[in-house]
Amino acid sequence: MNTFGPPKLVLVRGEGAHVWDEDGTEYVDLLGGIAVNALGHAHPALVTAVTEQMQTLGHVSNFFATGPQVRLAERLIGLCSPDSGRRDGRVFLANSGSEANEAALKATRRTGRTKLVSAADSFHGRTMGSLALTSKAAYREPFEPLPGDVTFVPYGDAAALAAAVDDETAAVVLEPLQGEAGVNVPPPGYLAEARRVTREHGALLWLDEVQTGIGRTGRWTAHDPSLEPDLVTFAKGLAGGYPIGACVGLGEAGHLLGPGNHGTTFGGNPVASAAALAVLDTIEAEDLRAHATAVGARLRDGLDHPHVAEVRGEGLLIGISLDAEVAPAAVAAAQDAGFIINATGPDRVRLAPPLVLTEADAESFLAAWPAILDVAYEAGS
Ligand code: PMP
């Protein structure tokens, strides 16, 4: 259960990018992609993979490995490797993005250094360690003091980042695009500069792909794997809605955590791992990365409107800034019109539909968009 306030809708059924509430009202889900990701709701490939795995081997204690777990770890290392060659890597499988980040945070401690650099407006989770790396005051303040020695730098400012990193820095942690902040895209070369400066000071580069990874931006990872980050964390849509998180340690960073250093009972259980393998296979089989790129570009083009100050994003991770603080009213108006979207701030709306969103669904949202804004501005004025 979340703590985000009373539920706005009680959903009872889903298919593709469509969901139905308990009254039978149908909605196009332009948000659930951040959790369900690629395959949307009730994709037959996912249902079959999960069912077959439950019938074969549900879970064993994590004293043993299972086939799906091993295959998933191999696949994730492959996704984090440049085309020209596979990197050496090791994977810790967990149950959520926060937990994947906790594993990465513990790995950074094994460097013998404790200083961390994160970004303003970042989001890395709500557990105490991941919260320590998350910048938003409203999330942090009720729980201070938070663990660790974290410096926040403005996101996208390479000079500020370079100035904050020194020989005592254990790691720099960055989202390749900031998701919860409302989809902030850094300037070209920012991550490469982060790689350069971390290498110069012997610090780790840790990229949080929890929201951006697994096809969301039209690529497996939002960063280019040839950058060779040390740690990459995944979660959210990786297992198509089943709880999973993954901390991938690459090169020497794969050896920071050793046997006995860390563990979790359900992490990487065979059913969640089989779900993740089905997600990865189906993204490939249905060419969903190219689809995300094409439908995302169409959506971004079509969102243009006199009240839209800016449209940002890549693939099907899209942030919209409005010229007034009417984002919550736009979310409500969209819901009344049969579309689920969300506000990431008073003037910011985010779209993150399942990658299977059809062109027809994208067009129906674009057709409704001007009227959604009319209603929102009327309600807000
Ligand atoms: N990192 C990023 C970039 C996220 O967007 C989120 C979730 N919004 C998390 C970590 C935390 O993931 P979880 O909710 O699965 O713990």
Side-chain angles (χ1 to χ4, degrees):
M1 194 61 193
N2 68 43
T3 53
F4 302 134
K8 295 174 190 74
L9 278 179
V10 178
L11 300 173
V12 295
R13 189 162 78 83
E15 193 180 325
H18 291 234
V19 290
W20 285 261
D21 71 11
E22 54 192 352
D23 301 323
T25 308
E26 182 175 350
Y27 301 88
V28 179
D29 178 5
L30 291 146
L31 172 66
I34 58 166
V36 186
N37 207 1
L39 310 192
H41 305 278
H43 193 293
L46 189 64
V47 174
T48 304
V50 166
T51 309
E52 284 180 358
Q53 189 57 48
M54 287 190 98
Q55 288 167 337
T56 315
L57 181 66
H59 188 37
V60 287
S61 112
N62 56 21
F63 286 110
F64 306 100
T66 66
Q69 193 180 63
V70 173
R71 287 198 294 281
L72 178 59
E74 293 284 323
R75 289 285 286 275
L76 291 175
I77 293 165
L79 299 190
C80 292
S81 299
D83 282 344
S84 52
R86 191 184 159 76
R87 294 187 72 189
D88 174 39
R90 289 166 82 223
V91 179
F92 178 78
L93 291 170
N95 305 285
S96 68
S98 298
E99 211 190 323
N101 284 339
E102 291 291 338
L105 181 56
K106 284 176 93 170
T108 70
R109 280 291 168 100
R110 302 281 299 157
T111 62
R113 304 181 184 184
T114 55
K115 279 179 61 176
L116 295 156
V117 176
S118 180
D121 301 318
S122 59
F123 188 95
H124 299 290
R126 310 257 198 168
T127 53
M128 290 300 270
S130 63
L131 185 60
L133 299 163
T134 295
S135 77
K136 195 168 171 172
Y139 297 158
R140 299 170 60 86
E141 275 170 7
F143 305 103
E144 285 175 339
L146 292 165
D149 177 1
V150 185
T151 304
F152 291 96
V153 293
Y155 185 69
D157 181 340
L161 181 67
V165 179
D166 62 27
D167 291 348
E168 289 174 11
T169 305
V172 169
V173 53
L174 293 169
E175 295 161 85
L177 275 73
Q178 288 187 321
E180 294 305 303
V183 190
N184 292 334
V185 185
Y190 180 60
L191 295 181
E193 179 59 9
R195 177 67 288 184
R196 190 196 64 72
V197 82
T198 44
R199 260 204 192 115
E200 186 181 303
H201 293 284
L204 301 171
L205 178 61
W206 160 11
L207 297 180
D208 179 341
E209 290 267 7
V210 165
Q211 186 155 158
T212 50
I214 317 298
R216 177 121 313 267
T217 62
R219 300 185 299 279
W220 285 124
T221 55
H223 75 277
D224 178 348
S226 67
L227 269 182
E228 303 202 343
D230 302 290
L231 296 164
V232 181
T233 44
F234 294 102
K236 288 214 185 279
L238 172 57
Y242 292 87
I244 200 160
C247 171
V248 184
L250 296 145
E252 286 173 28
H255 298 273
L256 287 167
L257 290 178
N261 279 161
H262 195 44
T264 176
T265 297
F266 292 120
N269 80 75
V271 178
S273 297
L277 289 166
V279 167
L280 298 176
D281 286 344
T282 309
I283 290 178
E284 237 158 39
E286 297 186 3
D287 206 9
L288 291 176
R289 287 172 294 156
H291 181 75
T293 301
V295 179
R298 169 66 190 125
L299 273 174
R300 285 197 303 279
D301 275 358
L303 289 164
D304 197 26
H305 183 277
H307 282 308
V308 169
E310 192 181 35
V311 179
R312 298 171 298 276
E314 285 176 32
L316 283 172
L317 184 60
I318 299 175
I320 307 161
S321 285
L322 303 173
D323 65 0
E325 299 198 341
V326 297
V331 171
Q335 188 175 309
D336 289 343
F339 300 94
I340 297 179
I341 61 177
N342 93 313
T344 51
D347 58 355
R348 288 188 158 208
V349 170
R350 174 178 52 182
L351 307 182
L355 305 190
V356 293
L357 184 83
T358 62
E359 277 101 357
D361 284 335
E363 293 302 336
S364 73
F365 177 68
L366 292 176
W369 179 237
I372 289 170
L373 292 180
D374 283 349
V375 175
Y377 276 78
E378 214 158 285
S381 63

